[in-house]
Amino acid sequence: MDLKFIRYSPVEYPLDEMAARSLDFMELMSGRRSTRQFSPRPVPREIIERLVQTAASAPSGANKQPWTFVAVGHAETKRRIREAAEHEETLNYSGRMGEEWLRDLAPLGTNANKEFLEIAPWLIIVFKQNYEQVGEERHKHYYVSESVGLATGMLLAAIQYVGLCALTHTPSPMDFLINILGRPANERPFLLIPVGYAHDQATVPLIKRKALGQVLVWA
Protein backbone atom coordinates (compact mmCIF):
# COMPACT_ATOMS: atom_id res chain seq x y z
CA MET A 1 0.00 0.00 0.00
CA ASP A 2 1.38 3.37 -1.02
CA LEU A 3 1.49 5.98 1.72
CA LYS A 4 0.77 9.64 1.17
CA PHE A 5 3.63 11.84 2.33
CA ILE A 6 2.89 15.14 4.04
CA ARG A 7 5.12 18.07 4.84
CA TYR A 8 6.90 17.85 8.21
CA SER A 9 7.67 21.15 9.93
CA PRO A 10 9.02 20.47 13.43
CA VAL A 11 9.34 23.28 15.94
CA GLU A 12 12.79 24.85 16.05
CA TYR A 13 14.23 26.96 18.87
CA PRO A 14 16.97 29.58 18.99
CA LEU A 15 20.24 28.08 20.21
CA ASP A 16 20.06 29.74 23.63
CA GLU A 17 16.53 28.41 24.19
CA MET A 18 17.55 24.99 22.90
CA ALA A 19 20.39 24.91 25.41
CA ALA A 20 18.07 25.95 28.26
CA ARG A 21 15.46 23.36 27.32
CA SER A 22 18.06 20.59 27.07
CA LEU A 23 19.34 21.47 30.54
CA ASP A 24 15.83 21.63 32.03
CA PHE A 25 14.91 18.24 30.59
CA MET A 26 18.20 16.69 31.65
CA GLU A 27 17.63 17.87 35.23
CA LEU A 28 14.03 16.62 35.20
CA MET A 29 14.99 13.16 33.97
CA SER A 30 18.08 12.95 36.17
CA GLY A 31 15.72 13.26 39.14
CA ARG A 32 13.79 10.15 38.07
CA ARG A 33 14.20 7.29 40.52
CA SER A 34 12.69 3.84 40.86
CA THR A 35 10.70 3.71 44.08
CA ARG A 36 9.18 0.63 45.70
CA GLN A 37 7.19 2.67 48.20
CA PHE A 38 3.99 3.97 46.66
CA SER A 39 1.04 5.89 48.04
CA PRO A 40 -2.45 4.46 47.39
CA ARG A 41 -3.50 7.98 46.40
CA PRO A 42 -5.59 7.68 43.23
CA VAL A 43 -4.44 8.86 39.81
CA PRO A 44 -7.17 9.78 37.30
CA ARG A 45 -7.68 7.35 34.45
CA GLU A 46 -7.36 10.11 31.85
CA ILE A 47 -3.79 10.76 32.98
CA ILE A 48 -2.89 7.12 32.36
CA GLU A 49 -4.57 7.30 28.96
CA ARG A 50 -2.46 10.30 27.94
CA LEU A 51 0.74 8.70 29.21
CA VAL A 52 0.08 5.58 27.15
CA GLN A 53 -0.89 7.65 24.11
CA THR A 54 2.46 9.42 24.42
CA ALA A 55 4.30 6.09 24.63
CA ALA A 56 2.40 4.77 21.64
CA SER A 57 3.73 7.65 19.50
CA ALA A 58 7.21 6.08 19.58
CA PRO A 59 8.95 5.05 16.37
CA SER A 60 8.80 1.37 15.42
CA GLY A 61 10.16 -0.98 12.77
CA ALA A 62 8.17 -0.49 9.55
CA ASN A 63 5.63 1.44 11.68
CA LYS A 64 4.19 -1.87 12.93
CA GLN A 65 3.69 -0.43 16.46
CA PRO A 66 4.17 -3.88 18.05
CA TRP A 67 2.98 -3.03 21.54
CA THR A 68 0.03 -3.34 23.87
CA PHE A 69 -0.25 -1.47 27.18
CA VAL A 70 -2.55 -3.07 29.74
CA ALA A 71 -3.51 -0.64 32.54
CA VAL A 72 -4.60 -2.49 35.68
CA GLY A 73 -6.44 -0.60 38.41
CA HIS A 74 -8.75 -3.32 39.72
CA ALA A 75 -7.76 -4.38 43.24
CA GLU A 76 -8.42 -8.10 42.76
CA THR A 77 -6.41 -8.24 39.55
CA LYS A 78 -3.52 -6.44 41.23
CA ARG A 79 -3.71 -8.94 44.11
CA ARG A 80 -3.47 -11.87 41.70
CA ILE A 81 -0.53 -10.27 39.92
CA ARG A 82 1.26 -9.69 43.22
CA GLU A 83 0.68 -13.27 44.33
CA ALA A 84 2.04 -14.71 41.08
CA ALA A 85 4.97 -12.29 40.97
CA GLU A 86 5.98 -13.08 44.54
CA HIS A 87 5.88 -16.80 43.74
CA GLU A 88 8.35 -16.31 40.88
CA GLU A 89 10.52 -13.94 42.88
CA THR A 90 10.70 -16.35 45.82
CA LEU A 91 12.05 -18.99 43.45
CA ASN A 92 14.50 -16.46 42.03
CA TYR A 93 15.90 -15.34 45.36
CA SER A 94 16.05 -18.89 46.72
CA GLY A 95 18.02 -20.46 43.91
CA ARG A 96 17.40 -19.30 40.34
CA MET A 97 19.56 -16.19 40.70
CA GLY A 98 23.29 -16.77 40.75
CA GLU A 99 25.52 -15.67 43.62
CA GLU A 100 26.93 -12.70 41.71
CA TRP A 101 23.42 -11.46 40.90
CA LEU A 102 22.36 -11.72 44.53
CA ARG A 103 25.52 -9.89 45.65
CA ASP A 104 24.80 -7.06 43.22
CA LEU A 105 21.20 -6.77 44.48
CA ALA A 106 22.08 -6.94 48.17
CA PRO A 107 23.02 -3.22 48.60
CA LEU A 108 19.66 -2.22 47.08
CA GLY A 109 17.70 -4.13 49.73
CA THR A 110 15.35 -5.88 47.30
CA ASN A 111 13.58 -9.13 48.14
CA ALA A 112 10.65 -11.30 47.08
CA ASN A 113 8.05 -9.09 48.81
CA LYS A 114 6.25 -7.01 46.17
CA GLU A 115 3.53 -5.22 48.13
CA PHE A 116 3.84 -2.21 45.82
CA LEU A 117 1.99 -4.24 43.18
CA GLU A 118 -1.17 -3.84 45.25
CA ILE A 119 -0.52 -0.39 46.70
CA ALA A 120 0.27 1.54 43.52
CA PRO A 121 -3.00 2.79 41.99
CA TRP A 122 -2.04 1.56 38.52
CA LEU A 123 0.04 -1.18 36.99
CA ILE A 124 0.94 -0.68 33.36
CA ILE A 125 2.03 -3.94 31.78
CA VAL A 126 3.84 -3.49 28.49
CA PHE A 127 3.43 -6.39 26.08
CA LYS A 128 5.40 -6.86 22.89
CA GLN A 129 3.62 -8.30 19.88
CA ASN A 130 5.91 -10.75 18.11
CA TYR A 131 3.56 -10.73 15.12
CA GLU A 132 0.09 -9.50 14.18
CA GLN A 133 -2.68 -12.05 13.80
CA VAL A 134 -5.27 -11.04 11.21
CA GLY A 135 -7.79 -13.84 10.77
CA GLU A 136 -5.84 -16.87 9.60
CA GLU A 137 -2.80 -14.82 8.59
CA ARG A 138 0.27 -13.81 10.57
CA HIS A 139 1.85 -10.49 9.65
CA LYS A 140 5.49 -10.13 10.56
CA HIS A 141 6.79 -7.46 12.93
CA TYR A 142 10.31 -6.07 12.79
CA TYR A 143 12.73 -4.95 15.51
CA VAL A 144 10.10 -5.77 18.12
CA SER A 145 12.22 -5.48 21.28
CA GLU A 146 13.89 -2.31 20.04
CA SER A 147 10.55 -0.72 19.17
CA VAL A 148 8.89 -1.66 22.45
CA GLY A 149 11.96 -0.48 24.34
CA LEU A 150 11.67 2.93 22.69
CA ALA A 151 7.98 3.16 23.60
CA THR A 152 8.71 2.16 27.19
CA GLY A 153 11.39 4.82 27.49
CA MET A 154 8.93 7.44 26.29
CA LEU A 155 6.38 6.15 28.79
CA LEU A 156 8.84 6.51 31.68
CA ALA A 157 9.76 10.03 30.54
CA ALA A 158 6.08 11.00 30.34
CA ILE A 159 5.43 9.61 33.83
CA GLN A 160 8.28 11.70 35.21
CA TYR A 161 7.12 14.78 33.30
CA VAL A 162 3.67 14.78 34.95
CA GLY A 163 5.11 14.33 38.45
CA LEU A 164 4.35 10.65 39.06
CA CYS A 165 6.68 7.80 39.97
CA ALA A 166 7.30 4.46 38.33
CA LEU A 167 9.19 1.25 38.93
CA THR A 168 10.52 -0.97 36.14
CA HIS A 169 9.72 -4.42 37.46
CA THR A 170 10.60 -7.73 35.80
CA PRO A 171 9.45 -10.72 37.91
CA SER A 172 11.02 -13.22 35.52
CA PRO A 173 9.52 -15.32 34.08
CA MET A 174 6.44 -13.18 33.47
CA ASP A 175 4.20 -15.55 31.53
CA PHE A 176 1.70 -15.50 34.41
CA LEU A 177 0.67 -12.06 33.16
CA ILE A 178 -0.56 -13.58 29.90
CA ASN A 179 -2.94 -15.85 31.80
CA ILE A 180 -4.14 -13.35 34.40
CA LEU A 181 -4.79 -10.65 31.81
CA GLY A 182 -6.07 -12.93 29.07
CA ARG A 183 -3.63 -11.80 26.42
CA PRO A 184 -3.45 -13.47 22.98
CA ALA A 185 -0.76 -15.87 21.79
CA ASN A 186 1.14 -13.22 19.80
CA GLU A 187 1.93 -11.14 22.89
CA ARG A 188 4.66 -11.59 25.49
CA PRO A 189 5.21 -9.50 28.64
CA PHE A 190 8.01 -6.96 28.30
CA LEU A 191 7.81 -4.92 31.51
CA LEU A 192 5.57 -4.46 34.54
CA ILE A 193 5.44 -0.82 35.67
CA PRO A 194 3.67 0.30 38.86
CA VAL A 195 2.67 3.95 38.50
CA GLY A 196 1.52 6.46 41.10
CA TYR A 197 2.64 8.92 43.74
CA ALA A 198 5.56 8.11 45.99
CA HIS A 199 4.72 7.43 49.65
CA ASP A 200 5.43 10.48 51.78
CA GLN A 201 8.08 8.47 53.65
CA ALA A 202 9.59 6.86 50.54
CA THR A 203 13.34 6.35 50.37
CA VAL A 204 15.63 5.33 47.53
CA PRO A 205 19.25 4.15 47.57
CA LEU A 206 21.91 6.85 47.31
CA ILE A 207 23.44 5.75 44.03
CA LYS A 208 25.89 7.35 41.63
CA ARG A 209 25.46 7.45 37.89
CA LYS A 210 28.36 7.06 35.51
CA ALA A 211 30.10 10.27 34.52
CA LEU A 212 29.46 11.65 31.03
CA GLY A 213 32.97 10.66 29.96
CA GLN A 214 32.16 7.04 30.77
CA VAL A 215 29.06 6.88 28.58
CA LEU A 216 29.77 9.33 25.74
CA VAL A 217 32.37 8.69 23.04
CA TRP A 218 33.06 11.26 20.34
CA ALA A 219 34.09 9.64 17.07
Side-chain angles (χ1 to χ4, degrees):
M1 182 180 68
D2 292 332
L3 287 175
K4 179 182 178 180
F5 282 73
I6 60 174
R7 182 173 295 279
Y8 176 51
S9 301
V11 177
E12 294 185 3
Y13 301 97
L15 287 179
D16 57 346
E17 186 176 353
M18 187 188 299
R21 290 171 68 90
S22 68
L23 179 60
D24 288 345
F25 193 70
M26 182 195 72
E27 291 177 344
L28 173 70
M29 296 309 300
S30 294
R32 198 212 69 80
R33 297 297 304 275
S34 295
T35 181
R36 290 171 171 79
Q37 297 162 305
F38 285 87
S39 165
R41 183 176 165 192
V43 173
R45 177 174 173 149
E46 57 266 28
I47 299 297
I48 300 300
E49 289 178 348
R50 290 169 188 158
L51 295 175
V52 169
Q53 192 167 9
T54 298
S57 69
S60 61
N63 193 38
K64 292 294 186 176
Q65 304 169 60
W67 44 63
T68 302
F69 302 86
V70 179
V72 179
H74 190 269
E76 175 59 18
T77 306
K78 290 194 293 180
R79 184 199 65 77
R80 292 178 62 200
I81 290 174
R82 175 187 177 181
E83 184 179 83
E86 288 185 339
H87 171 73
E88 297 296 345
E89 291 289 72
T90 297
L91 294 176
N92 286 336
Y93 279 90
S94 62
R96 288 199 301 214
M97 290 177 176
E99 291 185 7
E100 183 179 6
W101 192 347
L102 291 173
R103 283 198 305 270
D104 286 340
L105 287 175
L108 302 175
T110 62
N111 55 45
N113 180 25
K114 308 300 176 185
E115 63 180 358
F116 51 79
L117 293 175
E118 286 193 84
I119 295 174
W122 292 98
L123 306 178
I124 299 179
I125 297 88
V126 184
F127 285 86
K128 61 180 184 179
Q129 301 171 3
N130 292 319
Y131 57 90
E132 182 182 14
Q133 189 73 43
V134 181
E136 298 293 323
E137 297 182 354
R138 288 188 179 187
H139 295 181
K140 188 175 181 180
H141 284 169
Y142 311 95
Y143 301 106
V144 173
S145 293
E146 294 86 347
S147 300
V148 178
L150 290 168
T152 301
M154 289 181 63
L155 175 61
L156 293 173
I159 290 168
Q160 179 72 5
Y161 184 75
V162 300
L164 294 173
C165 294
L167 172 66
T168 51
H169 184 43
T170 52
S172 181
M174 295 193 289
D175 285 351
F176 63 86
L177 291 166
I178 298 173
N179 298 324
I180 292 175
L181 299 173
R183 302 312 306 159
N186 67 321
E187 294 185 359
R188 287 293 178 269
F190 184 79
L191 205 58
L192 169 56
I193 307 176
V195 179
Y197 294 97
H199 190 278
D200 59 7
Q201 299 298 317
T203 61
V204 292
L206 182 60
I207 60 173
K208 292 184 179 179
R209 293 187 171 96
K210 291 182 178 180
L212 182 61
Q214 293 176 281
V215 299
L216 173 63
V217 176
W218 298 99

